[in-house]
Every structure is written in structure tokens, then in C-alpha cells.
């Protein structure tokens, strides 16, 4: 079992989690209406587990000529400053978990980090989740056109395995 703690203060961010051997496939229900009218995707990682995202994920974003996911689990995004699109060159091996496995985090109040899509947080503006000590530790994505995941930044958290 592994617990993730804030690198800045040592506070536990998660309870004990079990590591998965690979990143699960993202559910195909992004943006599709559910019976209750919501459009949030099913969580990529089940409660009580975590996985490492091997691909670049999150900010910073750089221009590209091809329309592809801005980062795994995200939509194709047009570059507002150019003719092309944007793609992540963010860190690899972010820790991906079910958002409910880190209930003690709080949303950043900075409007630029807190940028959202039409139904939730799109995650393109950088880390939007803080430890109670104030340190930025991860990015929640929960918009209707993204996966439903919490990504903890490798440099902002430490893992403790028993």
C-alpha cells in the first residue's frame, strides 16, 4: 500500500492506495449524458488505486500542427495565439487517482489556475489543487470533455510505501 504526502509539509494527501501496473484505458463516456443529466466521465482509476501516466501531462502546453489530445484524457485544443493546436510537454509519470481518494485538497482560488470548461475543470492552466498548507500538488480534470482524474505532480508529492 502507498500513501502520497505533500513534499512541502509532509501532510498525507491520500489514504493507503494500491498501485496498478499500467494506466487504465480511459472510459469512453466523456461528454455523453447520463441518466441524471450529468456529463462527467466515469473515473479512469477506481477508488483505492493509483496509476502512473507515462505520457507528458498538463502544463506547459506548446504549439503543434496536428489536432490531437492536448494531454491523455483531454480534448484537441486550438492554439489561441496561432493557427495550430496545443499539446502538453508537462511532466511524465504524474500519479493518477480517483478524485475522491484525495478529499483533503482544496481548489486554487486563482482564476487562471481555476479556469474551467463548460461543466468543470479542464486542467490546461496548470495545477489547480492545493494541500491545506497552500502548496500546489496536482491537477483535477472533471469537465464534460475530459477524463475524470486527479493528477498529482511527481515533484510536489512523495510516496510512502509500507
Amino acid at each position: 500500500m502507498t500513501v502520497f504526502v505533500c513534499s512541502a509539509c509532509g501532510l498525507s494527501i491520500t489514504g493507503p492506495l494500491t498501485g496498478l501496473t499500467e494506466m487504465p484505458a480511459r472510459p469512453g463516456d466523456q461528454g455523453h449524458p447520463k441518466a441524471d443529466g450529468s456529463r462527467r466521465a466515469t473515473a479512469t482509476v477506481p477508488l483505492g488505486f493509483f496509476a502512473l501516466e507515462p505520457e507528458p501531462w498538463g502544463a506547459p502546453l506548446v504549439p503543434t500542427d496536428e489536432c490531437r489530445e492536448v494531454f491523455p484524457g483531454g480534448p484537441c485544443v486550438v492554439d489561441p495565439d496561432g493557427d495550430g493546436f496545443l499539446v502538453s510537454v508537462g511532466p511524465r509519470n504524474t500519479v493518477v487517482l480517483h478524485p475522491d481518494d484525495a478529499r483533503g485538497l482544496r481548489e486554487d482560488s486563482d482564476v487562471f489556475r481555476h479556469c474551467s470548461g463548460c461543466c468543470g475543470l479542464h486542467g490546461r492552466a496548470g495545477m489547480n489543487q492545493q494541500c491545506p498548507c497552500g502548496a500546489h500538488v496536482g491537477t483535477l480534470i472533471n469537465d464534460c470533455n475530459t477524463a475524470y482524474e486527479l493528477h498529482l505532480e511527481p515533484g510536489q508529492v512523495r510516496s510512502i510505501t509500507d
Side-chain angles (χ1 to χ4, degrees), residues 25-38:
R26 289 176 168 87
D29 61 354
Q30 290 175 200
H32 299 289
K34 312 277 188 305
D36 65 359
S38 69

Side-chain angles (χ1 to χ4, degrees), residues 24-51:
R26 289 176 168 87
D29 61 354
Q30 290 175 200
H32 299 289
K34 312 277 188 305
D36 65 359
S38 69
R39 293 178 177 268
R40 177 179 293 158
T42 302
T44 303
V45 177
L47 277 167
F49 292 87
F50 74 93

Side-chain angles (χ1 to χ4, degrees), residues 57-69:
W57 199 92
L61 308 177
V62 297
T64 184
D65 290 334
E66 69 180 282
C67 183
R68 59 186 174 119
E69 290 180 330

Side-chain angles (χ1 to χ4, degrees), residues 143-159:
D143 194 23
C144 60
N145 67 351
T146 67
Y148 181 43
E149 305 169 344
L150 174 62
H151 287 252
L152 299 177
E153 294 281 331
Q156 301 301 109
V157 299
R158 289 182 294 115
S159 62

Side-chain angles (χ1 to χ4, degrees), residues 13-124:
I13 293 171
T14 70
L17 302 174
T18 301
L20 299 172
T21 57
E22 62 183 26
M23 187 65 197
R26 289 176 168 87
D29 61 354
Q30 290 175 200
H32 299 289
K34 312 277 188 305
D36 65 359
S38 69
R39 293 178 177 268
R40 177 179 293 158
T42 302
T44 303
V45 177
L47 277 167
F49 292 87
F50 74 93
L52 298 180
E53 174 56 69
E55 297 299 319
W57 199 92
L61 308 177
V62 297
T64 184
D65 290 334
E66 69 180 282
C67 183
R68 59 186 174 119
E69 290 180 330
V70 63
F71 44 71
C76 175
V77 174
V78 173
D79 182 354
D81 300 321
D83 294 333
F85 305 93
L86 294 174
V87 66
S88 172
V89 292
R92 291 177 183 268
N93 295 317
T94 56
V95 178
V96 185
L97 51 130
H98 192 293
D100 289 345
D101 277 325
R103 291 181 181 260
L105 298 182
R106 64 178 191 224
E107 223 168 83
D108 189 311
S109 61
D110 180 338
V111 69
F112 294 108
R113 289 184 195 265
H114 188 67
C115 289
S116 63
C118 61
C119 302
L121 300 170
H122 57 54
R124 297 189 302 264

